[in-house]
Amino acid sequence: MRRERLLPLIIATALFIENMDSTAITTSLPVIAAEFGVEPVGLKLALTTYMLALAVFIPVSGWVADRFGARPVFMGAIGVFLLGSVACAVSQSLGGLVAARFLQGCGGAMMVPVGRLVLLRSVSKAELVQALSWLSIPALLGPMLGPPLGGLITTYAHWRWIFLINIPMGLLGIWLARRYIPLLKQPVKPLDWRGFSLSASGLGLAMFGFSTLGRHLLSVQLSLGALLVGVVLLGGYVRHSLRHPHPLIDLRLLKQVTFRTGVLGGSLFRIGVGALPFLLPLMLQTSFGLSPFQSGLITFTSAAGSMFMKTLAGRILNRFGFRPVLIANALIASLMLCAFGLFRADTPYPLMVGILLASGCFRSLQFTSLNAIAYAEVDQARMSQASSFAAMAQQVSLALGITLGGYALTVSSLATGEPTSAAINFTFAFLSIGVVSATSAWMMAKLPRNAGSEMASRAREGREVAEPKVEQRSAT
């Protein structure tokens, strides 16, 4: 098998178990909340804490991979993730589940970014879009299988088994990585320990404080205090980064228009998308009265649409270019997010499934485009930092989406006087995140017309090759 196909398929095992785990747990949130004796909205902490751990440790993933080699770091990260999965399976309280999810996130912080770095350093830019598609197709099997399988396990067995189903695939990934992934060890500069302490503590406190403002785990006073201290520490990191010759997170990368658009514009888009796996199963189960299994059978169709679009993304970008696709697609995908809020208990299932399927197609095209355009101007020497920066921003935006979605539900409930599970509250929540997502089109419009020209390609003689001067993102 060609290198640009073999490596993505191996790295996809890590994406598979991460996406399988993340999507399977969302179908079980109401049941887990009932067992732990907390509100379903409070279970957003089990999702955001994982993403918080990713955001905190992703920035050092590139340095660790360069220092110790991509292969051992990738293998060890999968091992830590599997240990966290076992800890989640035996947790007995919301606090215990949150702590176990944080351990999972520590493994995921090295697992997926290091795998992506292997791909970026092993595949030419002309073949990058195609390689990303090969990476995403197997990885999308996780989101496709996760909701129905998680719902099936929760409905007919016990939710704890959800965290154990990814162990065989994780072990397979470790074996394949040991055999086929190159070491890719490179000389490194001294780690920016001061920058790491400022960014890790600042981001951790700010995000955890913001996520717990709804009086879950912490009081309002403690949450506000953590948020304030975190913001101050992040401000200290910004000052430190602009003065340090080799900062951990190089904010100067944002001077490149394609990277800035891919990261900042992509973050706005992902805020809306990040709330979807949390809000949709919650609406289907608590508002419409569906079982976890029935909910999973509906929500998985969005991932099916994503998989279908991965096979066409390269051709669409080649035909229309990055800028027009990113602008129009951001607006269409955001409008479809708002449409989810119009679902009601009597909405025909085929209509729900059709809208979810189409929505998955548009979101997938946007993700592939953002993933590619972000690295269009990044040279190999800075690829490690750029990859870590982009991955960190993705996780922060997804966590913000879940948190904002939860707050939108709470605010709407207070305004309407209806229980949180009322359908009207979900209408307001989906409208809110859809509007935030749509604002990303404004940043996409700032791209040059020929942005990403080196990465656009046409199928020629059975291969994807670059066209001379004819014309990136992720998340899920």
Side-chain angles (χ1 to χ4, degrees):
M1 187 180 293
R2 289 164 52 192
R3 186 181 186 86
E4 64 270 17
R5 294 184 182 181
L6 177 62
L7 286 179
L9 291 176
I10 295 173
I11 296 164
T13 59
L15 278 172
F16 178 87
I17 63 173
E18 183 181 51
N19 291 340
M20 168 76 84
D21 183 274
S22 299
T23 54
I25 188 179
T26 57
T27 62
S28 308
L29 293 181
V31 175
I32 298 174
E35 182 167 326
F36 288 167
V38 298
E39 300 177 44
V41 175
L43 262 294
K44 70 179 185 290
L45 291 175
L47 306 181
T48 58
T49 300
Y50 176 83
M51 296 171 185
L52 173 61
L54 292 179
V56 167
F57 291 103
I58 276 175
V60 298
S61 62
W63 184 90
V64 173
D66 289 342
R67 172 66 178 82
F68 299 102
R71 183 173 59 235
V73 171
F74 185 70
M75 293 168 57
I78 296 179
V80 172
F81 183 89
L82 296 182
L83 287 176
S85 297
V86 174
C88 288
V90 300
S91 58
Q92 300 296 322
S93 65
L94 176 59
L97 180 62
V98 167
R101 290 285 286 170
F102 187 83
L103 178 60
Q104 268 191 318
C106 293
M110 299 289 173
M111 186 170 66
V112 177
V114 172
R116 185 181 295 114
L117 183 59
V118 170
L119 194 62
L120 292 171
R121 284 185 171 167
S122 305
V123 177
S124 67
K125 287 188 177 182
E127 296 174 314
L128 186 57
V129 171
Q130 185 74 0
L132 286 171
S133 295
W134 278 99
L135 171 66
S136 301
I137 289 175
L140 284 171
L141 288 173
M144 283 187 64
L145 296 175
L149 186 57
L152 180 68
I153 292 172
T154 303
T155 303
Y156 298 106
H158 199 283
W159 63 264
R160 297 183 187 278
W161 285 100
I162 288 175
F163 295 101
L164 302 177
I165 57 179
N166 53 28
I167 289 180
M169 180 62 76
L171 295 176
L172 175 63
I174 293 175
W175 180 77
L176 289 172
R178 186 172 183 271
R179 289 200 62 180
Y180 297 110
I181 286 187
L183 183 62
L184 292 180
K185 193 174 181 180
Q186 294 194 6
V188 293
K189 300 178 178 69
L191 181 63
D192 177 18
W193 287 104
R194 183 179 181 187
F196 175 64
S197 61
L198 284 171
S199 64
S201 57
L203 195 58
L205 287 171
M207 287 297 299
F208 192 70
F210 184 57
S211 298
T212 55
L213 275 175
R215 288 185 286 188
H216 300 291
L217 291 184
L218 298 180
S219 65
V220 173
Q221 292 80 3
L222 286 176
S223 297
L224 285 173
L227 176 60
L228 179 61
V229 173
V231 170
V232 171
L233 290 173
L234 287 176
Y237 177 78
V238 172
R239 183 182 180 188
H240 166 81
S241 172
L242 297 178
R243 294 183 175 186
H244 196 280
H246 307 293
L248 178 68
I249 306 169
D250 191 355
L251 300 179
R252 287 165 289 206
L253 284 165
L254 295 175
K255 292 180 180 179
Q256 299 176 357
V257 64
T258 52
F259 187 80
R260 182 171 65 249
T261 302
V263 171
L264 300 184
S267 294
L268 286 173
F269 182 77
R270 289 186 189 90
I271 284 176
V273 174
L276 183 59
F278 172 67
L279 289 177
L280 189 58
L282 210 60
M283 178 178 70
L284 294 174
Q285 294 179 52
T286 63
S287 183
F288 297 175
L290 300 183
S291 70
F293 184 43
Q294 292 171 320
S295 169
L297 288 176
I298 292 175
T299 57
F300 97 98
T301 55
S302 181
S306 297
M307 173 172 279
F308 172 75
M309 179 54 71
K310 289 298 180 184
T311 62
L312 302 176
R315 279 179 263 180
I316 293 174
L317 289 171
N318 178 67
R319 172 67 179 84
F320 298 102
F322 279 87
R323 185 176 180 271
V325 169
L326 284 167
I327 295 171
N329 203 61
L331 295 174
I332 296 172
S334 301
L335 183 62
M336 301 198 81
L337 278 177
C338 297
F340 295 156
L342 301 178
F343 290 168
R344 292 295 182 266
D346 58 353
T347 301
Y349 289 164
L351 179 60
M352 284 190 192
V353 168
I355 294 176
L356 284 168
L357 190 68
S359 175
C361 289
F362 288 111
R363 291 201 311 274
S364 176
L365 177 58
Q366 195 75 357
F367 290 157
T368 299
S369 305
L370 287 169
N371 276 342
I373 198 65
Y375 303 105
E377 299 175 277
V378 180
D379 54 42
Q380 285 295 328
R382 307 180 76 187
M383 192 64 79
S384 175
Q385 280 195 321
S387 178
S388 298
F389 191 165
M392 179 200 71
Q394 289 174 20
Q395 298 306 325
V396 170
S397 60
L398 293 174
L400 281 173
I402 293 172
T403 302
L404 290 175
Y407 286 153
L409 272 181
T410 302
V411 170
S412 180
S413 177
L414 292 174
T416 61
E418 299 286 340
T420 304
S421 60
I424 186 63
N425 297 326
F426 285 97
T427 300
F428 176 78
F430 278 112
L431 177 63
S432 300
I433 63 171
V435 169
V436 173
S437 186
T439 59
S440 65
W442 174 74
M443 289 205 67
M444 310 304 175
K446 295 179 177 293
L447 280 171
R449 294 189 180 276
N450 66 339
S453 58
E454 182 183 351
M455 307 176 75
S457 61
R458 294 186 185 275
R460 184 181 295 160
E461 297 179 1
R463 295 188 58 187
E464 294 291 324
V465 296
E467 285 221 356
K469 290 295 175 186
V470 194
E471 155 108 338
Q472 161 183 135
R473 140 33 284 188
S474 168
T476 150

